[in-house]
Amino acid sequence: MAEDNQPLSDIEQNTKFICFPKWKILVLEIALCTIVTICKAASFECYLWGCITELVWAILIFIVYAMNLPTYLHLSLMYVQWLDLFRAITGSLILLITSLICINWGLQSFWEVASLIFGLLAAAVLGYDAFGIIKYIKNLKPQEPTVNVVVVQNVVH
């Protein structure tokens, strides 16, 4: 590690992201979306576009966080958090809806059942990620200074 007054090297800066829980959640999302994509592609029955879209979004957000791009591009972290929140909410809804639609078509093969289970699991993980992002955004908002006003009355005797 670098001393307190020295900047971090590029390798330390890029690997710092691994220490945060967000890394584990994004890797889990990427793995689940990959499994769902493989299962839906093998079943030839369910919608494939939702899991592919979410997989690409998760990989892009992972790269943004891992390379610390908001710092290098002089962006506010709030913008990246809102983009990540949009990704998590839309991905959760898309995977949930497409998995539920595939139930209506009937589950006739192993791949359809696996895509349903992993699709619902991925939707739950994305929903958990969305709640974590909302909690983080609430903590990022600047706190308004509180002003204490003391009213003193002059009492005349």
Side-chain angles (χ1 to χ4, degrees), residues 15-94:
T15 57
K16 186 172 69 169
F17 175 63
I18 295 174
C19 301
F20 297 110
K22 181 70 176 174
W23 175 78
K24 296 173 188 170
I25 293 172
L26 279 172
V27 168
L28 181 62
E29 290 173 5
I30 291 169
L32 286 173
C33 287
T34 303
I35 292 170
V36 171
T37 302
I38 291 169
C39 292
K40 287 188 178 196
S43 72
F44 298 114
E45 290 292 326
C46 296
Y47 293 111
L48 191 59
W49 60 269
C51 51
I52 291 175
T53 304
E54 182 50 40
L55 178 63
V56 170
W57 268 98
I59 290 171
L60 289 175
I61 290 293
F62 182 82
I63 290 170
V64 166
Y65 281 128
M67 296 184 70
N68 201 13
L69 289 180
T71 304
Y72 291 123
L73 299 176
H74 305 294
L75 294 174
S76 171
L77 186 59
M78 183 71 85
Y79 297 129
V80 176
Q81 291 297 324
W82 280 105
L83 179 67
D84 195 16
L85 178 65
F86 176 75
R87 175 200 61 87
I89 290 173
T90 56
S92 179
L93 290 174
I94 287 171

Side-chain angles (χ1 to χ4, degrees), residues 1 8-9 27 48-49 61 84 87 92 95 99 110 113-114 123 141-142 157:
M1 288 306 270
L8 295 173
S9 70
V27 168
L48 191 59
W49 60 269
I61 290 293
D84 195 16
R87 175 200 61 87
S92 179
L95 287 173
S99 294
F110 165 77
V113 174
K141 282 189 174 180
H157 293 283

Side-chain angles (χ1 to χ4, degrees), residues 73-148:
L73 299 176
H74 305 294
L75 294 174
S76 171
L77 186 59
M78 183 71 85
Y79 297 129
V80 176
Q81 291 297 324
W82 280 105
L83 179 67
D84 195 16
L85 178 65
F86 176 75
R87 175 200 61 87
I89 290 173
T90 56
S92 179
L93 290 174
I94 287 171
L95 287 173
L96 179 68
I97 290 169
T98 56
S99 294
L100 293 177
I101 287 173
C102 290
I103 289 177
N104 276 345
W105 291 349
L107 303 174
Q108 296 151 354
S109 72
F110 165 77
W111 297 108
E112 292 173 5
V113 174
S115 69
L116 169 71
I117 292 170
F118 285 113
L120 292 175
L121 186 60
V125 170
L126 284 160
Y128 173 78
D129 191 18
F131 282 116
I133 296 166
I134 290 171
K135 184 178 174 184
Y136 187 77
I137 287 175
K138 283 184 180 179
N139 291 337
L140 275 182
K141 282 189 174 180
Q143 299 295 327
E144 294 181 15
T146 58
V147 178
N148 294 330

